[in-house]
Amino acid sequence: MGTRLTTAQPATAAASAATARGATPRGSTRATRPTASSARSTSATRSASTVRAQATSPRTARLGGAGGNGGAGGHRPPPEGPRVGPSSRRQRILLWIVVVVLALFAVRLVQVQVVQGAELAEQGRQTRERTIVLHAQRGDIVDSSGMVMATSVVRYNIEIDQRQVPAYVRLGENDEILGRGAAEAAAQLAPLLQLPEHELGATLTGTAGYRVIANDVTPEVRAAVEELNINGLTTRATSKRVYPNGSTAGNLVGWVNRDQANDDKQTGLTGLEYSLNKELDGLNGTRSYETGVGGTVIPGADQRTTPAQDGRTVNTSLNLDLQYVCQQAIDAQVDAAGAEFGAVVVIEVKTGRILAQCESDTVDPNSPTGSGTLHTVHSPYEPGSTGKILTVASAINEGLITPTSVFTVPDRFTTENGQTFRDATDHETWQMTTAGILATSSNTGTIQIGDLMTDAKRVEYMKAFGWGGPTGVEIAGERAGTHLDPTQWDGRTRYVTMFGQHNQVNLLQITNVMATLGNGGVRQPLHLIDGFTDAAGTFTPAEHGDPVEVVTPETADEMLLLLEGVTAAQQGTTGKKAAIDGYRVAGKTGTAQIPDANGRLNDTVASFVGVVPAEDPQLAVGVVVHRPATQSTGGALAAPVFQQVTSSALQMLGIPPSGVTEDLYPLYADQAE
């Protein structure tokens, strides 16, 4: 009885504790009859429990003493585990989470597909899209017959990735190794690129990912280079401007600059290349396509092409054959005279077209040096006695004199305001006609003619003939010479302007005075450009200014006959060396004194301007030789160049000789009687 009671108490306590934890006590479903062995076990257990209870620390005893939660014997119950709620609640929570996530996905899907769909699609397309530039071809410059003076050709730059060169191996026919690396690559490339092998080897060696080893190689050289299959070697197409005629019209045509930072874009720097850059320069196009992995073009994807618009061909009025002869003639005379420079222009009288515009020491645009100065338009000078043409023509047109009017002409003449002037040579006092004054180039006689008009009237004619303003020729930077303001002239200046001193003009301006007289007194605008041809072959004429009537046809005819006397074989005439067999030549020499380095009037400018044939002028030609080493006249230096160039032009253009002759005006009073 005692054993069963002792054993039942702990079991009941344990069952109570288990029940409190919400578990079913072990053995509660069925009563177990205690046995002797179980009694002994229970007794042993109680003894052990007693010992543990006694060994329990005071804190443990306080927490689980008799009558406490620890139950009989001071046992502390094991800690409680987490409680799990009902399964229906968990399902509701999971369902709401799923709903929220799906809602977020739906919102994002609407945002991507509807709100931002077009924008994101465009961003994706831009990411895949690649655009290449379609380079426009720069227009050509051609002469009047279509002969090319400037054009662009395809060339290639040879580039190398130095890091890949060591892997290069050159194999023989039987796959034996003949060489390797930079040394062998240099040995193979040097003869093709015409570069020193040792320098090329140094260029191929290193760690640079990009290095240019040759520029502007021809397509043939490029093909030979690519056949070598050198590791890291690539070629890149570019464009090069070439000038097939070298220095012929070199300064006039000009040259371009290649902007390597802007894909070798060519921009005109001088001459026609510069002044007509807008016409010559084309408009680049583009080609866009989409690529996938590895840069492969996506089939069927959108491709867009904007074609390049090539520049227009510039059709000039120049005759290249005449230009060549012209340059040879002026170069020879400048060298012979030790002059600073010389220039020649040839103008078609009836149209104002410039057939040749020549400079001494012209530059080859293929390898240009210097600034490309065009002395014909950039270097005005005092015309000297060629300026007398305007004084006489103005007085005749005003009805103040005739070709046979007689003047008393001493070698020295003093004006009313006390200014004294002299002729180039000493001579006795002559009774000379207007024709004689021009033929002998008398300063004293010209002053008497000019003094018949006011300064304002003379300036009016100067401007009408084209002085004091640009000619309008298609060259940038033209210097039009002196600003004509007679109110700024002092008592001496007004007289020297009558015979071509003080005022400055360029060679085109003074030559066009003769062309105006040859055209019946009507000044045509000068021009170098006939028109433009586009890539489709359509020609568009260039626009030029309107003609200007300067003097009457009668005055023009009288002036031409007067100026024939200058080149005639008569005593005292200054232009004999300009005469051409079989052709009537009307012209005027000019010799102007200009300051030397010390400011003294010891240097000269020698010139000649004329038209041919005088009875029906077709060509006006002007020549200037600037600062010859020794003082010399226009008749000695410029007239022979006129004769040579004009003779060649007449033959090249097929202009027939003069068929009729006409009596010249008398030079002296006694001849006029």
Side-chain angles (χ1 to χ4, degrees):
M1 285 289 294
T3 302
R4 286 195 299 269
L5 290 173
T6 303
T7 304
Q9 289 175 355
T12 302
S16 300
T19 301
R21 290 193 302 268
T24 303
R26 291 183 63 185
S28 62
T29 58
R30 182 176 65 173
T32 304
R33 186 180 220 30
T35 61
S37 59
S38 65
R40 288 192 299 270
S41 174
T42 302
S43 177
T45 301
R46 186 180 62 180
S47 298
S49 299
T50 302
V51 174
R52 285 194 299 270
Q54 292 173 352
T56 302
S57 64
R59 182 173 180 270
T60 302
R62 287 193 301 270
L63 292 174
N69 292 336
H75 284 290
R76 184 179 185 181
E80 296 183 0
R83 296 186 179 187
V84 179
S87 60
S88 59
R89 181 185 179 192
R90 294 197 304 271
Q91 291 173 352
R92 285 195 301 272
I93 293 174
L94 289 174
L95 179 60
W96 277 109
I97 292 174
V98 171
V99 170
V100 170
V101 170
L102 291 176
L104 291 175
F105 278 129
V107 171
R108 180 59 177 162
L109 184 62
V110 171
Q111 182 183 20
V112 170
Q113 293 292 337
V114 179
V115 179
Q116 294 180 304
E119 178 184 354
L120 294 174
E122 177 62 19
Q123 291 178 358
R125 186 191 64 77
Q126 292 179 0
T127 302
R128 298 187 304 273
E129 187 176 75
R130 300 292 181 269
T131 300
I132 61 174
V133 177
L134 303 178
H135 295 284
Q137 189 82 352
R138 188 174 178 85
D140 292 346
I141 301 176
V142 301
D143 82 339
S144 56
S145 67
M147 188 176 296
V148 174
M149 297 190 292
T151 189
S152 296
V153 296
V154 175
R155 290 293 183 264
Y156 294 89
N157 293 342
I158 310 299
E159 302 164 352
I160 197 71
D161 182 345
Q162 294 176 338
R163 299 167 298 183
Q164 299 185 43
V165 177
Y168 170 62
V169 176
R170 187 167 77 92
L171 301 176
E173 294 182 358
N174 299 319
D175 291 338
E176 71 276 15
I177 296 178
L178 302 179
R180 65 174 70 237
E184 183 61 26
Q188 298 300 311
L189 287 170
L192 296 176
L193 302 179
Q194 298 182 356
L195 294 172
E197 183 177 331
H198 66 281
E199 294 182 6
L200 190 54
T203 305
L204 296 174
T205 304
T207 58
Y210 172 81
R211 183 70 60 85
V212 177
I213 61 177
N215 290 307
D216 297 331
V217 304
T218 63
E220 294 77 15
V221 171
R222 176 226 187 187
V225 166
E226 289 185 333
E227 286 181 1
L228 298 175
N229 293 320
I230 295 174
N231 298 59
L233 186 145
T234 57
T235 61
R236 181 171 62 89
T238 185
S239 179
K240 181 181 180 181
R241 197 69 166 167
V242 295
Y243 305 90
N245 306 290
S247 62
T248 302
N251 291 31
L252 187 58
V253 173
W255 52 87
V256 300
N257 175 56
R258 292 174 63 181
D259 186 357
Q260 294 183 351
N262 190 15
D263 204 17
D264 284 341
K265 180 177 175 60
Q266 298 171 342
T267 304
L269 283 182
T270 64
L272 295 175
E273 292 275 29
Y274 174 78
S275 60
L276 299 176
N277 188 71
K278 183 178 179 180
E279 301 290 345
L280 292 164
D281 193 23
L283 182 63
N284 288 342
T286 58
R287 177 175 296 152
S288 300
Y289 54 89
E290 296 183 31
T291 60
V293 178
T296 305
V297 177
I298 300 176
D302 183 33
Q303 295 190 20
R304 298 187 305 278
T305 300
T306 302
Q309 299 178 22
D310 291 340
R312 298 204 288 178
T313 293
V314 174
N315 299 271
T316 73
S317 57
L318 295 173
N319 182 310
L320 266 185
D321 292 334
L322 180 58
Q323 182 79 20
Y324 175 80
V325 170
C326 178
Q327 285 185 202
Q328 295 296 309
I330 194 62
D331 273 337
Q333 189 69 302
V334 166
D335 289 344
E340 182 179 342
F341 65 81
V344 182
V345 294
V346 181
I347 299 171
E348 192 173 71
V349 168
K350 301 296 192 294
T351 63
R353 298 173 71 236
I354 299 173
L355 306 183
Q357 187 169 330
C358 312
E359 310 281 332
S360 59
D361 300 319
T362 52
V363 173
D364 183 351
N366 294 297
S367 53
T369 57
S371 61
T373 297
L374 286 163
H375 295 296
T376 49
V377 292
H378 295 153
S379 302
Y381 62 95
E382 295 181 11
S385 293
T386 56
K388 295 172 182 174
I389 299 172
L390 282 78
T391 301
V392 175
S394 303
I396 290 177
N397 203 62
E398 288 294 309
L400 301 174
I401 61 172
T402 68
T404 56
S405 296
V406 177
F407 295 86
T408 299
V409 182
D411 60 353
R412 286 171 174 78
F413 181 81
T414 301
T415 62
E416 291 182 355
N417 65 355
Q419 302 294 321
T420 299
F421 301 92
R422 60 183 299 273
D423 282 343
T425 59
D426 296 337
H427 61 80
E428 61 185 34
T429 299
W430 293 326
Q431 295 297 309
M432 301 190 77
T433 63
T434 303
I437 290 172
L438 267 184
T440 61
S441 198
S442 170
N443 293 334
T444 61
T446 303
I447 287 174
Q448 295 179 63
I449 295 174
D451 212 15
L452 297 175
M453 296 173 286
T454 65
D455 293 339
K457 177 59 68 175
R458 289 194 300 112
V459 166
E460 181 182 323
Y461 275 98
M462 290 178 187
K463 291 181 177 180
F465 271 110
W467 287 19
T471 64
V473 71
E474 300 89 343
I475 293 292
E478 179 184 3
R479 295 180 60 191
T482 306
H483 175 63
L484 301 174
D485 183 3
T487 64
Q488 301 300 312
W489 296 346
D490 59 25
R492 186 173 183 82
T493 299
R494 68 175 301 266
Y495 288 107
V496 298
T497 60
M498 298 174 185
F499 54 83
Q501 298 282 166
H502 179 72
N503 291 331
Q504 291 188 337
V505 295
N506 62 48
L507 184 58
L508 285 177
Q509 289 172 317
I510 186 61
T511 306
N512 205 26
V513 170
M514 285 301 304
T516 299
L517 296 176
N519 194 39
V522 177
R523 175 168 59 86
Q524 291 284 2
L526 298 183
H527 58 276
L528 276 165
I529 308 304
D530 287 338
F532 308 92
T533 304
D534 62 21
T538 303
F539 176 79
T540 303
E543 296 182 359
H544 307 117
D546 297 324
V548 176
E549 183 176 345
V550 181
V551 297
T552 65
E554 294 75 20
T555 297
D557 289 343
E558 290 179 349
M559 283 299 301
L560 291 179
L561 192 57
L562 280 169
L563 292 168
E564 271 194 77
V566 176
T567 64
Q570 304 180 75
Q571 182 179 2
T573 58
T574 59
K576 299 183 183 70
K577 292 184 177 180
I580 301 172
D581 289 342
Y583 292 88
R584 292 169 58 183
V585 177
K588 184 70 186 77
T589 57
T591 307
Q593 293 178 311
I594 59 174
D596 60 15
N598 298 317
R600 298 185 177 90
L601 296 177
N602 292 328
D603 284 347
T604 58
V605 176
S607 62
F608 185 91
V609 292
V611 293
V612 64
E615 72 278 9
D616 183 20
Q618 302 297 312
L619 302 176
V621 180
V623 181
V624 63
V625 179
H626 197 265
R627 283 199 169 94
T630 58
Q631 280 196 357
S632 191
T633 64
L637 289 180
V641 178
F642 171 92
Q643 193 275 344
Q644 182 181 352
V645 171
T646 307
S647 296
S648 298
L650 291 168
Q651 295 177 13
M652 290 179 183
L653 300 174
I655 298 174
S658 298
V660 296
T661 60
E662 190 170 349
D663 293 335
L664 301 177
Y665 295 118
L667 306 185
Y668 299 93
D670 55 0
Q671 297 173 342
E673 297 174 354

